[in-house]
Amino acid sequence: MRVPKIRKRWAIVGASAAILAICAWIHLWFALGVIVVAGAAFVAKRYRIELRGGKAVAAQSASLLQSVAHAITPRSAADPTDTKGLVEEMLAQGRYALLLRKQVVSNLSDEQFERAREALSESMALVPEGEVALGPIDQALEDGKLDNEELALHEGKIVRVSALFLDRFPVTNLQFKEFVDGGGYEQMSIWDPHIWPAVLDFVDQTGAHGPRMWKHGRCEKGHEQHPVVGVSWYEAAAYARWVGKRLPTDAEWVKAGSWPVPLSPTSRMQRKYPWGDSMDRGRCNLWGSGPGRVVAVTDYAQGVSVGGIRQLIGNVWEWTSTNFGAGALHGGDFSLPSPMKSLRGGAFDTYFENQASCHFQSGEKPVARKHNVGFRCAVSMCDLVLAQVSVTDAVGPAAELHEHDKQEVAA
Amino acid sequence: MIKEGSVQLDSYRLAQYSVQVPCYICEGGNSFDAELCRHCFAPMALAHQANSQKIAPRIIAAIGASGVGKTVYLGMLMDILSRQSDRLQMLARGAFSITLQQITASALARNEFPHKTPNEPDRWNWVHSQVRSPAHRRPVDLIMPDLAGEALLEEIDHPHTYPVIRSLLSKCAGVLMLVDTVKLQSGIHDQDYFAMKLLTYLIELDNHPKHGWSQRPVGLVFSKADECEECFDDPVAYAKAHSAGLWQHCNEQFKRFQFFAAGVAGGCAYRNLPEGRVRVPLRIEPRGIIEPFEWLIDELRE
């Protein structure tokens, strides 16, 4: 049967129109997609350009950087008005010490307070107050005890330390990633103002913010539980502030490791190593005793200190908040090529045993980002509220201690 | 008062004196009981060991400017290889071969660098050792002297001042050339020029197209690289960026060369002494010490 000519034409026109409509529809969506992607790329690029621009200007004007810092908001998923969500996020990020601060604790529910306290108890060990001998005193400790005459002979000194909590493990890559992802490098308020111009240079191998050995803002796969290394002293200090803690002082670090016990007003017992007075290479990751690289913070559990702190000796050197001074070395007048911060504990590549004792001190430039230097954090006991109290008590001058904590301090 | 007595005539000694023992380094004749070669001051123990054990040790040398770290590198290398067993193993032949290791390790453990090697060849430390590796069945016997940088420079500028250096470098199977990273990093190119002078001197010593210095392995080691992490990340890129002259020179003159980075101290300070400032290590964490030596041994086996 023959189709009438006119109907055939209409069919062709209709089909063409339909095809055109479909094409137009596809093009419309495609164009929209392109616009969205290009817009996102533009915004992202603009964001980076502003950061990089800030880097160039930062050297000339710190105040401009401050304004950049205020303009950048941290990448936080939680709504700032949602207190519960914020607390949950901070607990997940390991910022429990911040929650236990006097100024913050009143915002917590009983359950949240208890969880923060548990996190503190699991992650940090108590170092009781007392005196500790510092200096190159290893030779004087051959018999395990140290009196004031020996101390003076070896250029040592006595320092009094207040009670504090010290991290049981060095800060891991996983923990530090929380800081990086949480916008730690962009919150200028937690960085020392004089280092602002350098913060944008603290990048990983791909130019993203993070430790020197990382790539694309993350550590090597399988190294999540390794201590974070390749971080400067300033990055370590900023992380510590971000989690509501601080870097330990030299005296606090040595006290935690050597665990001094007073024998008389002029004499004391003090350990050379956290486990005792003689080196046992099986208890720490040093040159020749380990695999020749950084290992997970949970390894070498036998090297635990009396207080329950792991890996004080070996694996990675640890930044402390104290300036490295000439008094750290034996005999004579020393000068440093540039100001340094104190390092403690030795690392996986420390060659000599006598350089991996509790009392051996080394130093490094605070901007150095070495492959074998990490850190752990501390928080003073007086800065935390350890028992749920009323708001007025919580913000008072002295924090109340839980009965259990009092017993711990007494012990 | 005069006492009478009988003196035994050791005629065999006269016979021994009549036979000359050639020095292993310069091949000059010496009496059998000489401690040092009378021509070049190399220890005659090297020749006696080679004769008695019927071996022909190969000679390698660590060369470089004064203060570049030759003593620390060699001493640390020996100490590491004698302590670990999984890679190369080094066994000292003769008590004199342990002196360098002992001096270096003792000083570093006290947070000091060993004293500068004196210019007089009779006071240099020599090492004769056997090197074994799990990958190779046959061990390699090596002689390594700890040369003074100033003596090297003197010999280059005024040839034949130190015959021992000329004889030694002529017989060397390969060298490790040390270059100070700290000075390169600070923009001082003396190290660069000194290294180029030394390499030119080697080529002049033996320019035979088949077995001359152009065919022998040369390991270029950036010493004190702990002060510069980027040097460890990529020594070749570092050489191109900071020591372009040396890089170009090696490319043109040598067939077998490789750049390395090495460091012993993790950080340094200065001790103020009446005679001036002395550099002291703040901690000892050796890096990249074995790799250049391992490469050189592999090249020698080929």
Side-chain angles (χ1 to χ4, degrees):
Chain A
M1 197 177 91
R2 284 187 66 193
V3 179
K5 217 170 196 177
I6 191 149
R7 195 185 282 180
K8 192 177 177 182
R9 276 186 194 151
W10 275 113
I12 291 167
V13 168
S16 303
I19 289 166
L20 275 172
I22 290 166
C23 286
W25 187 251
I26 290 168
H27 273 89
L28 182 68
W29 278 109
F30 181 74
L32 274 172
V34 167
I35 288 166
V36 168
V37 170
F42 174 76
V43 169
K45 195 177 176 186
R46 178 76 185 268
Y47 183 78
R48 286 308 285 180
I49 287 167
E50 277 178 5
L51 274 178
R52 292 294 173 199
K55 181 184 175 183
V57 176
Q60 300 160 1
S61 167
S63 60
L64 184 61
L65 243 180
Q66 196 170 11
S67 64
V68 171
H70 283 297
I72 299 166
T73 49
R75 281 176 289 156
S76 173
D79 176 5
T81 56
D82 175 15
T83 312
K84 193 181 174 192
L86 208 59
V87 169
E88 290 302 322
E89 188 188 8
M90 288 173 75
L91 280 170
Q93 287 173 328
R95 300 166 79 187
Y96 49 84
L98 206 57
L99 295 175
L100 293 174
R101 293 263 167 180
K102 292 172 210 168
Q103 300 84 347
V104 183
V105 76
S106 57
N107 297 309
L108 305 184
S109 67
D110 286 356
E111 185 259 337
Q112 286 169 336
F113 174 79
E114 205 47 50
R115 281 170 59 201
R117 248 194 61 119
E118 275 174 21
L120 175 82
S121 170
E122 275 174 22
S123 307
M124 302 190 87
L126 180 71
V127 180
E129 68 168 339
E131 289 182 342
V132 61
L134 296 183
I137 54 172
D138 274 339
Q139 281 187 338
L141 284 168
E142 289 300 327
D143 56 354
K145 72 176 184 61
L146 183 75
D147 57 39
N148 286 358
E149 285 175 12
E150 286 176 314
L151 191 69
L153 196 68
H154 289 85
E155 303 168 26
K157 60 178 178 182
I158 297 286
V159 176
R160 185 151 193 91
V161 170
S162 300
L164 73 144
F165 288 98
L166 187 66
D167 280 350
R168 292 184 190 275
F169 303 95
V171 173
T172 63
N173 281 316
L174 191 66
Q175 289 171 321
F176 201 81
K177 193 169 185 308
E178 292 286 352
F179 170 71
V180 177
D181 292 347
Y185 280 89
E186 289 138 20
Q187 296 175 36
M188 288 312 186
S189 56
I190 58 173
W191 295 81
D192 289 345
H194 68 274
I195 202 65
W196 284 352
V199 172
L200 293 169
D201 264 341
F202 293 148
V203 291
D204 67 13
Q205 292 179 29
T206 57
H209 281 311
R212 194 170 68 84
M213 280 74 187
W214 286 18
K215 285 179 181 169
H216 304 291
R218 65 177 72 93
C219 68
E220 197 178 323
K221 204 174 176 186
H223 288 193
E224 289 81 8
Q225 291 305 322
H226 287 203
V228 62
V229 291
V231 286
S232 66
W233 182 87
Y234 295 105
E235 288 165 282
Y239 172 88
R241 277 190 206 112
W242 187 74
V243 294
K245 302 179 189 175
R246 59 178 172 78
L247 293 179
T249 65
D250 243 2
E252 288 168 346
W253 194 98
V254 176
K255 186 157 196 315
S258 62
W259 209 258
V261 177
L263 298 174
S264 72
T266 59
S267 175
R268 61 206 58 80
M269 276 171 62
Q270 194 161 313
R271 293 158 177 251
K272 279 171 83 173
Y273 305 98
W275 53 84
D277 289 325
S278 61
M279 169 51 85
D280 180 351
R281 282 182 169 262
R283 293 175 188 258
C284 53
N285 182 19
L286 297 177
W287 195 98
S289 70
R293 56 175 170 78
V294 175
V295 297
V297 294
T298 47
D299 291 358
Y300 292 93
Q302 289 177 317
V304 68
S305 73
V306 179
I309 302 169
R310 301 259 199 105
Q311 288 190 359
L312 281 165
I313 299 297
N315 210 18
V316 292
W317 289 96
E318 293 177 16
W319 289 115
T320 71
S321 62
T322 310
N323 290 332
F324 179 70
L329 298 170
H330 254 310
D333 178 20
F334 287 87
S335 57
L336 302 174
S338 59
M340 289 186 178
K341 290 289 179 183
S342 174
L343 292 177
R344 290 281 177 178
F348 68 92
D349 54 358
T350 297
Y351 194 72
F352 294 110
E353 292 170 1
N354 67 337
Q355 296 181 358
S357 71
C358 288
H359 303 104
F360 183 83
Q361 186 186 17
S362 190
E364 192 50 75
K365 291 186 276 283
V367 290
R369 310 174 87 210
K370 295 272 179 139
H371 67 291
N372 59 354
V373 180
F375 66 101
R376 74 177 75 219
C377 301
V379 60
S380 297
M381 189 178 232
C382 62
D383 288 337
L384 300 180
V385 177
L386 298 170
Q388 185 71 306
V389 290
S390 66
V391 177
T392 47
D393 287 346
V395 295
E400 273 193 34
L401 296 183
H402 192 274
E403 201 56 41
H404 173 67
D405 293 311
K406 282 180 181 172
Q407 285 169 6
E408 274 186 351
V409 175
Chain B
M1 195 175 79
I2 298 169
K3 276 191 176 178
E4 287 185 1
S6 62
V7 178
Q8 195 178 352
L9 180 63
D10 291 339
S11 56
Y12 71 96
R13 282 184 174 270
L14 291 174
Q16 280 178 327
Y17 273 115
S18 67
V19 178
Q20 295 279 298
V21 181
C23 166
Y24 194 78
I25 304 299
C26 71
E27 294 171 8
N30 290 274
S31 59
F32 81 99
D33 59 351
E35 191 184 343
L36 300 173
C37 170
R38 62 193 171 96
H39 307 282
C40 72
F41 300 107
M44 287 303 293
L46 302 173
H48 295 311
Q49 279 182 345
N51 289 336
S52 64
Q53 292 167 18
K54 297 197 169 30
I55 48 171
R58 308 187 82 172
I59 302 171
I60 61 170
I63 56 176
S66 177
V68 76
K70 297 180 290 296
T71 305
V72 171
Y73 178 80
L74 284 177
M76 206 67 209
L77 175 73
M78 287 202 61
D79 204 52
I80 290 173
L81 293 184
S82 60
R83 278 171 66 169
Q84 71 171 23
S85 56
D86 53 338
R87 287 167 79 177
L88 292 175
Q89 292 172 9
M90 188 179 269
L91 186 68
R93 283 187 182 270
F96 69 92
S97 297
I98 299 174
T99 310
L100 178 64
Q101 174 185 350
Q102 182 193 0
I103 289 170
T104 309
S106 305
L108 293 176
R110 293 193 308 268
N111 283 90
E112 292 171 6
F113 286 117
H115 292 297
K116 209 171 150 190
T117 305
N119 285 351
E120 297 80 22
D122 55 339
R123 293 172 67 191
W124 293 350
N125 286 307
W126 292 70
V127 176
H128 181 194
S129 59
Q130 191 180 63
V131 179
R132 293 174 179 273
S133 77
H136 298 92
R137 198 166 50 86
R138 293 181 64 184
V140 180
D141 265 77
L142 287 177
I143 289 175
M144 294 183 288
D146 177 28
L147 305 172
E150 284 175 9
L152 270 167
L153 184 62
E154 191 70 14
E155 171 60 24
I156 292 167
D157 288 341
H158 308 286
H160 305 288
T161 315
Y162 287 89
V164 64
I165 292 178
R166 197 172 187 82
S167 308
L168 180 93
L169 293 180
S170 301
K171 292 187 81 172
C172 259
V175 291
L176 292 174
M177 162 82 76
L178 273 70
V179 183
D180 192 328
T181 315
V182 176
K183 289 189 176 165
L184 275 183
Q185 190 72 14
S186 61
I188 301 169
H189 283 275
D190 288 358
Q191 294 286 315
D192 219 5
Y193 298 131
F194 185 81
M196 285 195 282
K197 271 169 112 173
L198 258 173
L199 294 176
T200 310
Y201 177 79
L202 292 180
I203 293 286
E204 282 173 1
L205 270 182
D206 189 350
N207 58 3
H208 193 279
K210 284 190 177 169
H211 53 74
W213 265 106
S214 61
Q215 303 295 329
R216 297 186 207 175
V218 176
L220 295 120
V221 185
F222 290 114
S223 63
K224 306 175 191 173
D226 46 273
E227 303 269 339
C228 174
E229 287 288 327
E230 62 168 301
C231 186
F232 274 112
D233 294 341
D234 189 350
V236 177
Y238 188 85
K240 286 179 188 170
H242 293 89
S243 184
L246 181 62
W247 162 256
Q248 187 67 21
H249 192 87
C250 289
N251 266 311
E252 286 173 6
Q253 302 277 350
F254 294 93
K255 295 277 188 299
R256 297 154 74 190
F257 69 95
Q258 181 77 269
F259 282 90
F260 299 93
V264 168
C268 285
Y270 294 94
R271 175 175 280 162
N272 301 316
L273 297 174
E275 57 268 28
R277 287 202 320 171
V278 180
R279 207 159 168 262
V280 291
L282 293 177
R283 56 188 180 277
I284 302 302
E285 42 195 41
R287 281 172 87 184
I289 300 292
I290 301 176
E291 287 79 1
F293 183 72
E294 209 169 18
W295 174 83
L296 192 62
I297 296 293
D298 285 345
E299 289 291 315
L300 293 184
R301 285 185 199 276
E302 284 175 16

